[in-house]
Structure formats: structure tokens, C-alpha cells
Amino acid sequence: MTRHILVTGGAGFIGSAYVRALLGPTGPPGVAVTVLDALTYAGSLARLDSVTGDARLTFVHGDVCDARLVERLAAHHDDIVHFAAESHVDRSIESGTAFARTNVLGTQTLLDAALRHGIRTFVQVSTDEVYGDLPTGAATEESPLNPNSPYAASKAAADHLALAHHRTHGLDVRVTRCSNNFGPYQHPEKLIPRFLATLLSGGAVPVYGDGLQIRDWLHVDDHVRGIELVRTAGHPGRVYNIGGGTSLTNLDLTHKLLELCGADRSRIEHVEDRKGHDRRYAVDHTRITRELGYRPSYDFEQALLGTADWYREHTRWWQPLHRVAL
Ligand code: NAD
């Protein structure tokens, strides 16, 4: 029997990596995938080029807040894996409205449809940013949510809504919270691709404040494997942190990117810090490791080198986006 999976935001950076993995040679047998994506500035169908001819893939251009469309789709699907979001913290600082709409109302719209149409599993793809700043230690799934940016607050609200639908209605909801991702096809507004694109174009990279903010970096394909483990083997109503990448200050990361692009430190420009900038994120991913046997498989240095090579070889994809993002 075919399992019909609705992937929202499947033309985005991580959603598309998930779709490519599902339909790739090591993907599960017996799946059919529908991508629902509004193709905002962040969406790109080119990310799905390698699977576009696959008869198991259907693309629907639409909005997760469109209740009629979402209802119609939910009626024909078993699972929903929900990636669609406004995802860039800096944009949420300029205005949180689109974040509240897509990330909160969009999630609620999907949950309503999931309930009405008996969706079997709903995976809410979330972020470690909901835990907020952690001076020491690492957030477990039981840690309090303390989101500090409008982006993180909208994701935390969506997580609460999703989990409330498990508690109140018994909907099989599973939430993943992952650390920072990197890899091919990431929009050049995000730190690693932005810096690679800027350095490869001969420019200077803007480092926020002292650059000592600490983040955990995970290759997107490791994130995607974690999500698929949660969809197929996770427990209803449970949250799973996904991490285990490499923890670095933004400045250390910048130095590595400079080296990969053959640039020296004069190409760093320290700029005013981001408002409300969290100093440190860290997630404890013991649960997904113990329960589901998850382990990241990428070596960070190799993966960063591979990502730099990918950006070097795909200028035609990122150049138009980079010009707009600057
Ligand atoms: P992205 O911005 O690259 O992609 C988002 C996708 O959603 C785009 O294709 C966009 O067109 C689509 N979209 C936006 N609004 C929509 C709407 N109203 N209806 C339908 N589609 C819409 O984001 P990403 O980096 O791939 O992140 C995907 C998910 O993973 C997000 O929920 C994000 O919060 C989460 N996440 C991201 C990271 C990271 O490091 N990027 C880490 C952890 C979790």
C-alpha cells in the first residue's frame, strides 16, 4: 500500500532535501509525495529538479493558510510533514506579521484539516531556537521554551498548537527541533551561503557584533534523516531534538569559510549586532539517539568543504538570489 505524504514547504531548503531523500535511491518503498509550496522568495523549484520527472511526485502551488486547498489535500494523504515557514530571523525583526501568519495560522490550518481528515501522522518541523539563549548546558525536550526573536516565538506557538492537538484530540503529532542547518541549495540570505556567496563574489562578510555567538551546525541531510526516523518510528505526542553537529562561534565559522574561499581576515567587516541576538544555542539529542538510533553521519569539515564546492559550482542558482538578499 502506498503511503501518501504531504510535504509543506517542499520547495524550500530543508523540505526539498527531505523530498529528494524520500524519492532517492535509499528512500523508503511505497511512498507518494505531494509538495505544497507557495513559492515565496524562499521557494525554488530548481531544488526539486532531480526528482521532477518522478511519477510519485506531485507539486501543488498554494498557501498553507488556504483552508479549502489544505482540506482538499488532507483528504487524500496519510501523513503531513510540515516545513513551510517564514524562516529568516532578520526578516522577522523587520516585521513579524508574515511569521505569525504562515508559521502560526498556517500550522493551525493544517492541524484543523489533519483532524478532520484522519491524518495518521503529523510531523511539525521546528527549531532549537524555541529554547532561546542558553548560557550553559544543553536544552532537552523538557526545557522551557523561551523564544527571543519573532521567528522563534512564531515557531514556539506552532509547536504548542501542534502538541495541544495531540493532547486534546489524540492527533498523532510529533515535533522535531533541530539546530542550524547547512548544505546545498540554502538561500544566500542565511549565514553560511551568504558568506560563501559574498566571498566568492569578492566582497567582505558582515559579522554581527563580536561574532562570539555559538551555534550548532548540522548538515541538512542529517536533519532530514532525523525527521524521517521521527515520522516512521517516533512516538505520538513526543518532541525530538535533532543536533549533534559541530558547535562553533560565528567568528570561528567565518574563519573556516574564509580559508575555504582562499580569503584573508581583512575580508571581515564587524557590523552592529542583531537586535536581541541569542548568544548560545545547544540541544541535547539523547532522546532521538536512544529511542530511534539517530546519529549524524557527516563530518563537519568535509561537509563544509563540500558545501563550499557546491556554491562554487552553482553560481547560476544563487547569484540572482544573492543580489536580492544583499
Ligand atoms: P526555507 O525558507 O528555505 O523554506 C521555506 C519554504 O516554505 C519555501 O519553499 C517557501 O516558499 C515555503 N512557504 C513559505 N510560506 C508558505 C506558505 N504560506 N504556504 C506554503 N509554503 C510556504 O526554510 P528552511 O530553512 O528549509 O526551513 C524549513 C523548516 O525547518 C522551517 O519550518 C524552519 O523553521 C525549520 N528549521 C530550519 C532550520 C535551518 O537551519 N534552516 C533549522 C531548524 C528548523
Side-chain angles (χ1 to χ4, degrees), residues 11-281:
F13 165 50
I14 306 171
S16 65
Y18 181 68
V19 171
R20 294 194 301 272
L22 279 181
L23 300 178
T26 57
V31 294
V33 177
T34 303
V35 167
L36 170 62
D37 198 296
L39 295 179
T40 67
Y41 80 95
S44 164
L45 282 176
R47 294 182 174 119
L48 295 173
D49 274 353
S50 63
V51 288
T52 295
D54 194 312
R56 297 168 297 167
L57 176 66
T58 305
F59 178 78
V60 177
H61 185 197
D63 189 333
V64 289
C65 300
D66 179 344
R68 280 174 60 181
L69 172 63
V70 166
E71 287 275 339
R72 197 151 48 75
L73 291 171
H76 303 289
H77 287 83
D78 300 297
D79 300 339
I80 296 178
V81 185
H82 177 34
F83 294 89
E86 289 293 334
S87 67
H88 190 37
V89 175
D90 285 345
R91 285 176 185 262
S92 80
I93 293 168
E94 277 165 33
S95 168
T97 305
F99 289 74
R101 181 183 178 279
T102 292
N103 302 2
V104 184
L105 181 61
T107 303
Q108 182 59 57
T109 305
L110 288 161
L111 289 164
D112 283 340
L115 263 187
R116 246 192 301 275
H117 295 285
I119 286 292
R120 288 158 75 175
T121 298
F122 185 107
V123 181
Q124 157 71 3
V125 179
S126 188
T127 163
D128 66 347
E129 300 199 23
V130 297
Y131 297 119
D133 223 356
L134 285 183
T136 56
T140 70
E141 292 82 352
E142 270 69 48
S143 297
L145 302 195
N146 186 23
N148 291 319
S149 69
Y151 161 66
S154 67
K155 293 296 291 186
D159 290 10
H160 281 310
L161 285 171
L163 291 167
H165 282 67
H166 171 71
R167 170 74 189 232
T168 306
H169 300 289
L171 185 66
D172 176 348
V173 166
R174 307 167 191 190
V175 177
T176 62
R177 295 188 181 136
C178 188
S179 57
N180 279 21
N181 283 208
F182 69 99
Y185 283 120
Q186 189 170 25
H187 193 288
E189 66 182 357
K190 303 282 168 57
L191 197 155
I192 289 180
R194 180 174 181 186
F195 282 18
L196 286 172
T198 303
L199 292 169
L200 294 172
S201 313
V205 290
V207 170
Y208 282 131
D210 60 12
L212 298 182
Q213 308 85 0
I214 295 174
R215 300 290 183 267
D216 176 76
W217 293 95
L218 190 70
H219 191 275
V220 63
D221 291 341
D222 277 332
H223 183 188
V224 155
R225 278 191 311 103
I227 292 169
E228 183 57 1
L229 276 173
V230 169
R231 182 186 73 83
T232 54
H235 290 278
R238 200 161 287 183
V239 177
Y240 293 91
N241 289 342
I242 304 177
T246 297
S247 201
L248 283 176
T249 66
N250 285 348
L251 201 55
D252 285 341
L253 175 62
T254 304
H255 292 157
K256 288 182 189 297
L257 295 171
L258 288 169
E259 205 173 299
L260 285 172
C261 295
D264 64 41
R265 294 183 184 186
S266 66
R267 302 268 292 276
I268 294 178
E269 189 189 348
H270 282 275
V271 297
E272 192 184 333
D273 206 354
R274 172 191 270 170
K275 281 189 193 170
H277 208 173
D278 288 331
R279 290 297 279 181
R280 178 175 174 272
Y281 296 138

